[in-house]
Amino acid sequence: MAPKASKGGKAAKQNEGPTEAEEPLQAVVFTDSHEGRFIPFTYSQPRCRLKLANTPLIEYTLEWLASVGVQEVFVHTAGNHSEQVEAYLEQSRWQDTFDSLRTITSAATSIGDAMRDLDEKGLMKGDFISVYGDLVANIDISAALSSHKTRRLKNKDAIMTMILREAGDYHRTKDQHNRQCFVIDSDTSRCIHYEQVRPRKSPRLDIPAEVMKDHVDIDMREDLIDCGIDICTPDSLAQWSDSFDWKRPRKDFVHGVLQDYETFGRTIHTHIVKEGYAARVNSLRAYDAVSKDVVSRWTYPYSPDMNMLADQTYQLAKGNVYREDRVTLARSSSIGRRTVLGEGSSVGEGSVIINSVIGRRCVIGKRVRVENAYIWDDAHIGDDTVVETAIVANEVSIGKKCHVKRGALISQGVKVADGVVVEENMRLAKIERDDDDEVVQGVTDPKIVGEGGEGFLIELNEEEEEVYEALLAGVQDMDLVEDDDDDSDFDSDDEDGAEYEHEMVPAARSGSFASVASNESEEGAELKRKKADFVRTATDSVLDGMTKKQNEDNIQLELQSHRLAENAEDSWIREAVATAFSRYIVALTENEEEPQKPKVAAEAAIMTNQRLITACVKEAGEQAEFLLFLQIDLLHRQQGGEVLLHAAYVLAIEDFVDSVGLQEWWDDSRSSRTQELQDLRDKAEGVVTSMVAAAAAESSEDEESGEDEDDEDEDDE
Amino acid sequence: MPHATHPPLPSLQALILCGPGLSLNTFTSNPAQSPKCLLPIANRPMLWYPLISCHRMGITSIHLIIPPDAKEALETALATHPALTSLPGPKPEVLAPEGLEQTSGTAELLRLPEVQGVVTRDFVVLPCDLVSELDGSKVLQQWLTLNPSSTSNSSNSKQSKRGGGMALYYPTHGREGISSESKKVVDETDFLATVPISLPAVPPPAGSLRNNVEEVVLTMPTDTLNDTLEENNGSLPIRQRLLNKHSNVKMRTRHRDAHVYFFPHWVKDFIAHPNNSEKFESLSEDVLGAWAQAGWRPSLASKLGLDEVLGGKRGAEENGGEAVGTHAAFDDTGDGGSMTPARFSELELQEGEEEEEVDVMALSSTKVSVPLHVKQEREGKWFASRVQVPATTETEPQTKTKSASKPVSKPKSHVHIPPLLAYIQPPLPSLPLIRRVDTAPQLASISLYLAKLPATSSAEPGVVYNALALEYKVHPTATIGPQSRVSEGDSLVAENVTIGSRTNIKESVIGANCEIGGMVKLTRCVLMEGVVVGDGVTMTGCIIGKRARIEGMASAPTSVDGGSGKAGDGVGDGAKGKGKGKKRAEDEEERTKLTDCEVAPFFVVEAGTESKGETLKGFDEEGSLDEEDGEDGEGEEGEGLDDGDGEEIDV
């Protein structure tokens, strides 16, 4: 099959220039997503370097990529630990294994941004594999690659193949709360409908009529694990670039492409793998589950005794016990099943270790009981201590007679004094991130770690949570519900919009970037989708109206009808209007025939359509929100900063926004959430400071004008 | 040897529903006289096909259920029609319940007291229009092995487990000549959603249907589906429940329910349950649709009274009441040894401790036995289950939370809803044909398909003949005139047919006692019994009802005496004319030419009629042509021969 396909590839290639068949197989690895889910461990380390069964996560991913024949790898990193990832890869053996291994660092805040970045850089020569840097897999994808290729030859519009693992009704790494439902035509394996199903939230799944009419055999699958392994094409990158607001590969990309099928005819296919292992370590729960699978050899050959790293010396003994050289075990100690012991570790008299992973150079005292725990390198555990299902990170020292209860997370360098009980689901850390995202030493809280201990209890603040592509597996109603569920505190990312339905889960959750402006993380996914759809259509309609220079009242009328039809909220309207404005202004400045200066463009756009703004923007909060939407949309646009400056200026001068609104926007943490956003915002600093200063000088006048504006607005409505 | 592997299953009884045949109304407008089930398919009454299916399954107790007004016609046919009298085994019983009308729904029919009284055991329901090459015993075999009552754990016997049902779906697409024949008329289809049942650890033997047996979770006719789609703004709502319970649902849009149902005995009570008498009208749509959904909608199950029916209370009473009947059946065969496990559960209550429920699955040395309840709780497919240790700390809380969050998996009523299984035939042309013949195009295409099967009389040793093959392609009693051609590969000619000279018959089925004149051209036609076709008639793709008369050239020439001869000449000239470039247009006009027409029984198509795609139908269908038939037939035959010779010389 494969040779035939490549032959065909050559033949077809002649028609359209450079041969794909000779191109090396490329892959993109996205790292550093979901950092928030691994707090506090990710304060000092990138997630892909966290060790799973004593081997860094990214090793598994790269190992798998090498095994499927990838020759060129691009590791895409963003976020706080890019340098660390880069440094690690530079000295790794992978430099020799792959023909090329490059690290791309970008400021992307979503997979969508990263994809657009890739497209811009033009690194991808042909079809490539896209995976996440937390993938542990041993599946064979050669069949998928060849069928993808044959499909591409027949139909250029088959832009992507998703590789999905069949998992049966239940799988430990499968998200039980946000199940993905793939509707697949079984003859062509084309994905014809995609939906995320949330038990009890969305009581029914609506299969569109076209699906029923056009397809003979339809599979409705909810038993597939989506590990984010996609075979992408340059065309799919182009799709990403065409739709600048897509962020997530499933919810936005797949959904969007499927929606536009009627218009563009682009198709996404699936390849269902029935054998082998594939899972993403995208939550602490998954960490636990995958660790167990690795130790139990489900991921064979990627088990500890493969000794992936050159200096590893694991040997497998009975009962899935893996031991490196120079492990010291006291005679009366007992090592139970499914245990991994790293080099140089020692276990004292009478200690029991079962079902656990112990890193290197750990010292386990006497009469210690370690059960279902993950103890990383250089940890110290005092005599008579009990560690239950917990993670004890590097260089942690736990005193004597302590009790680390289930679900505790003890981060790097923490010292727990003797006799302390670490309660369930506590997270202890020694460092934290301050408001500037800098790592700082935290203040030790003796109440928690005892006298002489180091560390403190961390409460997550929502800002810590990732802004990255939120993905598939969220919280799972799985075996460790009581353990790792709440402590891990994974965000309910947007992609799955995870509603934790488990009683024990605390309320903390984040909005990921997409919901930045509206804090809607608690809304059902359905509402979100509705919102996204609404914003998209409304933006298009407003933009269309402006481009055609329609009367602003007409545009407003149309917008209003959209709004009534969809029962849209005000903020959606604002988002749509702001996005439309930004796009219109940008379009004016980029007009090929007569490009306008941002200043002129902003003025022209705003002044001719001012009623649109006045209708939906009144109070300070709304003004701030409007500016925020504007800013977000201008991100990554040419002259975005300029446009923002002038737009803000015009808005301020014409009293669409007042100083309070400006200030509020300025102070809103969301407007400076990432460096890029902040850079963008800084461009408009002049306007804000001058306006605020002017307002301070003549505050009374300002208030009046504010009131006036309110009145006007009401009239308009 | 088939009989070695499939012992007779005396305990099963068959009900063949002889309905009115609404879509075949050209030929069944008088159902009392010519009921649908007696329409010929490839020269055999339609009824023959389900009957032979029953016989192949080893079912001997067959009831034909027919409205009273058509009873007589049916009984006459059973007693006289050679195809029906030649069937092996005991005669089927005709049951014509009072109150059964031609328009009654199939579920209503089963509720009638007469039918309820007759059903004493597990039963099979067949339609009268089923043409199936598939060996029904294979389906039956699957039903028996997969029937949960035979797989249930003996320890669970308190929770009385009842058997499930089995349906049969065939693809309406993927078969050339039959599927695509009627592009105008789209085949009726049923929407079907199924879930796979766990595959056995040992792959089923080649030829087993096991791989295509699935559990039905939703079924409805495509029309109903379209209505649903319309109601819901163009989308089909699928309940979460379904996906909760079954995460891999397959939907098919171009299969059709063959209306063959293997039902355990309790289904009879289910249909007759007071809760359902209002709701259930049609067997396929209402009963099956409800049953399929009850499997994953516990609330629906109790609404339908399934818990009562299955709970055993009612069952016990009835078993007591019908003990005699069941015993009779038991004695009838005198072959207790061949009783299937499915039967034992039924008999258990009467026979007391004598018979123990046999768990066939447990006895199997190859099957990894997974207790059914485990599967129900969605634990059947543990992935990485080896890691689930220590079991006490991980597995248990997990199952607890699971069952807490998913009450679906534990129906409150504690009644296990037996699954409704279905054999779903894949759309491969190599597989045995299954079709329901309920439209005229279907009737034609199936007849023509059967006509292509090699005849059993052309005995070649070692060749396995199709079970539906006829004995003769051209029956020995048929007379064919000189220079006439019947393409034997794809045509059938029945008893006592006379065919004139220079007649060409291709891909056609000619019914018994037909008289076909000279110079006739028949292509892809189906003629039912006693059709008279005059000279020079050209017909393509026509279906002619019994005793219809298609007049040919006979009326054109002047005298009646020499009519035949002259007609022959005329035709001869006509043929020449045609050959020479249609000189004689007048004659051409006189010709009868029918294309894609349906002609009703007893209808007379006048000479010179030309029509295409029409249904020719009159009001006077009672006309008797009996006497003429015989005489004319002989006369024409003779003349045809003579003329044929003469013409040959001419040419």
Side-chain angles (χ1 to χ4, degrees), chain A residues 356-392:
Chain A
S356 299
V357 176
I358 314 284
R360 291 183 160 183
R361 300 173 298 278
C362 288
V363 179
I364 314 269
K366 294 170 186 165
R367 299 171 298 280
V368 172
R369 186 173 174 81
V370 179
E371 206 176 318
N372 301 327
Y374 300 93
I375 296 173
W376 296 353
D377 296 350
D378 301 302
H380 244 267
I381 301 197
D383 299 348
D384 300 301
T385 289
V386 176
V387 183
E388 292 174 26
T389 313
I391 296 180
V392 176

Side-chain angles (χ1 to χ4, degrees), chain A residues 22-68:
Chain A
E22 287 158 24
E23 308 260 307
L25 186 56
Q26 294 178 312
V28 179
V29 181
F30 296 104
T31 64
D32 284 25
S33 55
H34 293 292
E35 299 237 299
R37 292 180 172 185
F38 285 80
I39 285 173
F41 305 116
T42 46
Y43 280 156
S44 57
Q45 258 189 320
R47 192 165 57 103
C48 64
R49 283 193 59 192
L50 295 184
K51 285 188 176 178
L52 182 111
N54 288 344
T55 306
L57 259 180
I58 191 146
E59 291 288 328
Y60 292 95
T61 311
L62 294 175
E63 192 77 58
W64 178 74
L65 284 177
S67 79
V68 300

Side-chain angles (χ1 to χ4, degrees), chain A residues 1 7 65 126 148 190 196 210 223 253 263 266 297 341 416 435 461 470 510 545 576 596 616 636 638 659 685 705:
Chain A
M1 186 91 179
K7 229 183 181 177
L65 284 177
H148 173 82
R190 186 159 87 76
Q196 278 179 350
E210 304 85 64
D223 59 342
F253 184 80
T263 334
R266 293 196 180 85
R297 311 180 73 74
L341 292 165
V416 178
D435 296 340
N461 95 42
S510 80
Q596 299 185 16
C616 65
H636 301 310
Q638 275 185 10
S659 60
E685 187 168 10
S705 78

Side-chain angles (χ1 to χ4, degrees), chain A residues 474-515:
Chain A
V475 186
Q476 292 146 45
D477 183 6
M478 290 196 334
D479 44 353
L480 285 180
V481 163
E482 289 93 340
D483 317 337
D484 277 355
D485 198 349
D486 23 4
D487 53 79
S488 51
D489 219 346
F490 349 59
D491 52 20
S492 62
D493 40 49
D494 247 9
E495 176 95 306
D496 45 29
E499 265 312 275
Y500 300 10
E501 303 193 339
H502 196 267
E503 325 77 60
M504 298 185 58
V505 180
R509 46 173 73 90
S510 80
S512 78
F513 186 67
S515 64

